[in-house]
Amino acid sequence: MRFVSFSSGSCGNCSLLLGERSGILIDAGVGIRTVKKELTALGLGLENISAILITHDHGDHIRSLGSFCKRVQAPVWTTETLHNALAWHPFTKEWIGPCRQVLTPGVWNQITEDFEVRFFVVPHDATQCVGYAIRSGEELFVLMTDLGHTTEDSMYWASQATTVVVESNYDDDMLLGGDYPEELKKRIRQGYGHLSNSDCEEAIVKFMHPGLRNIFLCHLSGNNNTPELAYQSAMQALEVAGVESGSISVRVLRRGLVSPLLNL
Ligand SMILES: [Zn+2]
Ligand SMILES: [Zn+2]
């Protein structure tokens, strides 16, 4: 499996998971022209997108989904609840119809030649928000973003994964000491908002297991976090879990920046 993130955070979320013969675009919160340009730079193209997976119906995850439906015409896979919302959402309603593919809950859904997918619901203030377990051969890629707190399901899948993408949204002190209105601070922290660095740290300690090779920290706040703070918390988790440094790769997915194309 290979993986590239085009951006991660409230400014836009979009990444591509590549197998031998097919690729899955995960969320469509980055413009199609940017994605096309970056794919070309990597020697790839829009034809490498065989399917699209959507986590939830917030703008930073679906802003460009309409253009992807129109231009790429790849099937868009998500839950029935989310598809029903996308059918009426101003960003997607005109284009989503022909691309609609509903994931069956509780089973592996074969969505491309290489990839089988299961979803798990996570707590977040969208119509619904889901994390994904994506399997290809012996590899298991698990993604959880935009979640107020971890759940049993999310920890179950992450604790078998070879790669985990997990939200590390904010630093407690920066959020509490910052100038966000009290209501917004509450929204972020009340359990249906976002995962903090310390929540993420706790999660890593919980899901750590010998088969895990890669951790990506995603959806960092631009105002209430820094890549250094998020990284430090994750490294602390590895120490608590007794993991030898260097045995697991930890990377921060950046806001508005493209990652290298990484072999997982
Ligand atoms: Zn988001
Ligand atoms: Zn969201």
Side-chain angles (χ1 to χ4, degrees):
M1 275 189 205
R2 290 181 296 163
F3 176 68
V4 56
S5 166
F6 302 105
S7 170
S8 180
S10 54
C11 54
N13 297 274
C14 185
S15 58
L16 181 70
L17 187 62
L18 280 171
E20 290 290 317
R21 294 167 301 273
S22 57
I24 304 176
L25 193 78
I26 306 172
D27 283 334
V30 171
I32 190 165
R33 267 182 299 182
T34 305
V35 170
K36 192 178 172 198
K37 192 184 88 195
E38 298 301 341
L39 285 174
T40 306
L42 295 168
L44 301 166
L46 292 176
E47 67 280 3
N48 290 96
I49 301 171
S50 329
I52 300 174
L53 269 179
I54 296 297
T55 59
H56 65 297
D57 56 341
H58 281 162
D60 55 322
H61 299 259
I62 58 159
R63 191 170 292 122
S64 307
L65 184 55
S67 357
F68 278 99
C69 292
K70 201 165 40 163
R71 294 276 309 280
V72 181
Q73 287 157 2
V76 176
W77 289 90
T78 192
T79 67
E80 186 165 24
T81 304
L82 279 166
H83 260 306
N84 292 344
L86 294 175
W88 293 102
H89 197 290
F91 289 160
T92 45
K93 63 179 178 190
E94 282 181 54
W95 309 106
I96 193 87
C99 301
R100 178 183 169 113
Q101 291 290 342
V102 174
L103 292 167
T104 305
V107 296
W108 290 103
N109 296 256
Q110 183 98 40
I111 72 164
T112 75
E113 245 183 295
D114 298 291
F115 295 112
E116 292 176 294
V117 172
R118 295 177 81 119
F119 70 86
F120 47 90
V121 175
V122 295
H124 186 56
D125 51 8
T127 301
Q128 184 184 48
C129 187
V130 294
Y132 287 112
I134 306 175
R135 186 166 78 172
S136 181
E138 301 290 295
E139 304 288 309
L140 182 66
F141 177 99
V142 171
L143 174 129
M144 55 182 104
T145 186
D146 296 60
L147 65 167
H149 55 89
T150 60
T151 59
E152 218 172 283
D153 276 355
S154 63
M155 290 302 100
Y156 173 78
W157 290 111
S159 61
Q160 305 173 44
T162 46
T163 296
V164 177
V165 181
V166 56
E167 176 170 43
S168 196
N169 185 263
Y170 64 93
D171 171 74
D172 280 304
D173 295 339
M174 281 180 81
L175 178 69
L176 290 172
D179 53 9
Y180 275 17
E182 285 311 311
E183 264 313 294
L184 184 54
K185 288 183 186 175
K186 225 169 99 188
R187 199 220 112 190
I188 294 170
R189 300 180 75 236
Q190 57 41 329
Y192 288 84
H194 295 280
L195 218 58
S196 70
N197 291 350
S198 53
D199 297 333
C200 177
E201 188 179 324
E202 221 173 273
I204 293 173
V205 174
K206 252 191 236 171
F207 67 62
M208 184 57 65
H209 64 282
L212 185 62
R213 293 199 309 271
N214 304 289
I215 297 173
F216 293 102
L217 308 174
C218 73
H219 214 284
L220 270 67
S221 164
N223 295 309
N224 300 309
N225 208 355
T226 66
E228 293 72 26
L229 284 172
Y231 183 79
Q232 278 165 19
S233 298
M235 294 312 280
Q236 204 157 320
L238 299 196
E239 205 179 307
V240 172
V243 176
E244 240 176 87
S245 72
S247 62
I248 291 182
S249 151
V250 178
R251 285 174 182 263
V252 176
L253 302 180
R254 304 292 294 267
R255 299 171 59 85
L257 289 177
V258 182
S259 73
L261 179 61
L262 299 153
N263 281 313
L264 301 182

